Amino acid sequence: MKVLIVEDETVAYENLVAILTETDVRIEVAGNTESVTQTLQWLKTNGAPDLIFMDIHLSDGSAFSIFEKMQVDTPIIFTTAYDEYAIEAFKVNSIDYLLKPIKTEEVKRALTKFGKWTRADLTQYLARVSHLMPVPRYRDKLLIPYKDKLLPINLHDISCFYTTDKHTCIYLKDGDSYPYSKTLEQIAVSLDPAQFIRANKQFIIARNSVKNITIWFDNRLLITLDVETPERIYISKNKAAEFKAWMTND
């Protein structure tokens, strides 16, 4: 069985691959895409796999926009780190809906359910899946615990989120910074992907804070923001085209 994994987090991808390998040696991971754009291109180039594990929130938008751009004739097991979506609806209308961190027994359950599907089940599923497109709700303000207060922070005042050694900080355009208890994975799913992007493992950056883009060696991009950051921000070669499209709203 050939499986496509649509996942933009390396740790989550590696965890899922390990679980699939442990569960059934006959499963072949045919590919890994990290964005809506990459997924569309992969499906057009490689054809339909037998099954897709798909993260709902990708670096360039909601995975549901894939269904608006092309017909997907493959059953999908949805995954996400965020439970704001209509979980019960997904459980009824899709093979399964897995919350991260994904556990081995949950994957086994989903694969068992998939294995019992008849052709009629698959036909009915494919007729329903294109309607599973909830309207995303993105935050416009955060409440940041600081000393004995909760500071209301507008999203348009944030330049970036930065993490290191499992500690996250928010950097504001005025130069202030505050610790934040959530991980970048938890933060990303509540942000409008048109305004914020996961640049790399350390940074989520705001589109309106990008002041300069330098073409670095190996075709990486060096990003300069409107505030001083604790380390340089690099966009990998593989993600450079996607980042440039995001910057120009293409």
Side-chain angles (χ1 to χ4, degrees):
M1 178 171 64
K2 292 186 176 181
V3 171
L4 171 65
I5 299 177
V6 182
E7 173 59 67
D8 60 356
E9 294 296 331
T10 302
V11 173
Y13 167 73
E14 292 176 347
N15 177 58
L16 182 53
V17 170
I19 291 174
L20 292 174
T21 301
E22 174 189 342
T23 301
D24 191 337
V25 295
R26 296 170 296 177
I27 295 176
E28 174 191 347
V29 178
N32 170 221
T33 58
E34 300 181 354
S35 65
V36 171
T37 302
Q38 288 182 8
T39 304
L40 289 169
Q41 184 60 46
W42 193 98
L43 291 172
K44 291 175 183 177
T45 303
N46 298 278
D50 298 306
L51 181 65
I52 299 174
F53 283 84
M54 181 177 288
D55 188 7
I56 292 174
H57 190 95
L58 301 174
S59 58
D60 60 348
S62 168
F64 296 107
S65 63
I66 294 171
F67 308 128
E68 298 174 343
K69 296 178 172 64
M70 72 178 295
Q71 181 175 335
V72 179
D73 295 325
T74 301
I76 297 168
I77 296 174
F78 293 104
T79 68
T80 184
Y82 203 55
D83 61 1
E84 188 170 305
Y85 295 93
I87 295 178
E88 291 304 320
F90 282 105
K91 286 183 176 178
V92 171
N93 293 297
S94 65
I95 297 174
D96 216 331
Y97 179 103
L98 307 180
L99 285 174
K100 298 177 183 176
I102 296 172
K103 299 178 177 60
T104 301
E105 58 269 22
E106 294 173 344
V107 174
K108 289 181 177 179
R109 180 194 66 209
L111 291 174
T112 298
K113 183 178 177 181
F114 172 57
K116 292 179 179 178
W117 272 23
T118 64
R119 184 173 295 276
D121 292 328
L122 179 58
T123 300
Q124 292 175 7
Y125 163 78
L126 293 174
R128 293 192 302 258
V129 70
S130 62
H131 300 292
L132 294 174
M133 290 184 265
V135 177
R137 293 178 292 173
Y138 302 120
R139 295 186 180 188
D140 59 6
K141 191 182 292 289
L142 299 178
L143 287 177
I144 308 300
Y146 184 69
K147 296 182 179 179
D148 59 345
K149 299 179 180 179
L150 286 174
L151 302 179
I153 304 293
N154 291 319
L155 266 295
H156 60 73
D157 293 328
I158 296 175
S159 289
C160 68
F161 300 85
Y162 171 73
T163 188
T164 181
D165 297 327
K166 298 183 180 180
H167 297 289
T168 303
C169 283
I170 297 175
Y171 287 80
L172 304 183
K173 294 179 181 298
D174 63 6
D176 289 339
S177 63
Y178 298 97
Y180 196 40
S181 60
K182 294 188 177 183
T183 66
L184 293 193
E185 289 77 13
Q186 293 170 325
I187 295 168
V189 293
S190 65
L191 301 177
D192 183 351
Q195 302 302 324
F196 290 87
I197 193 171
R198 182 73 180 265
N200 52 41
K201 292 181 179 180
Q202 286 74 45
F203 285 94
I204 293 174
I205 62 177
R207 185 170 173 268
N208 63 4
S209 290
V210 176
K211 294 303 180 184
N212 190 30
I213 303 172
T214 303
I215 300 176
W216 211 244
F217 64 91
D218 294 335
N219 291 318
R220 292 184 297 164
L221 302 178
L222 173 62
I223 309 302
T224 303
L225 301 184
D226 53 4
V227 295
E228 185 175 349
T229 54
E231 60 180 281
R232 288 184 169 184
I233 305 173
Y234 292 103
I235 305 293
S236 69
K237 174 183 177 180
N238 292 338
K239 201 170 183 177
E242 175 189 326
F243 178 82
K244 288 185 281 188
W246 173 75
M247 278 298 301
T248 56
N249 282 328
D250 289 343

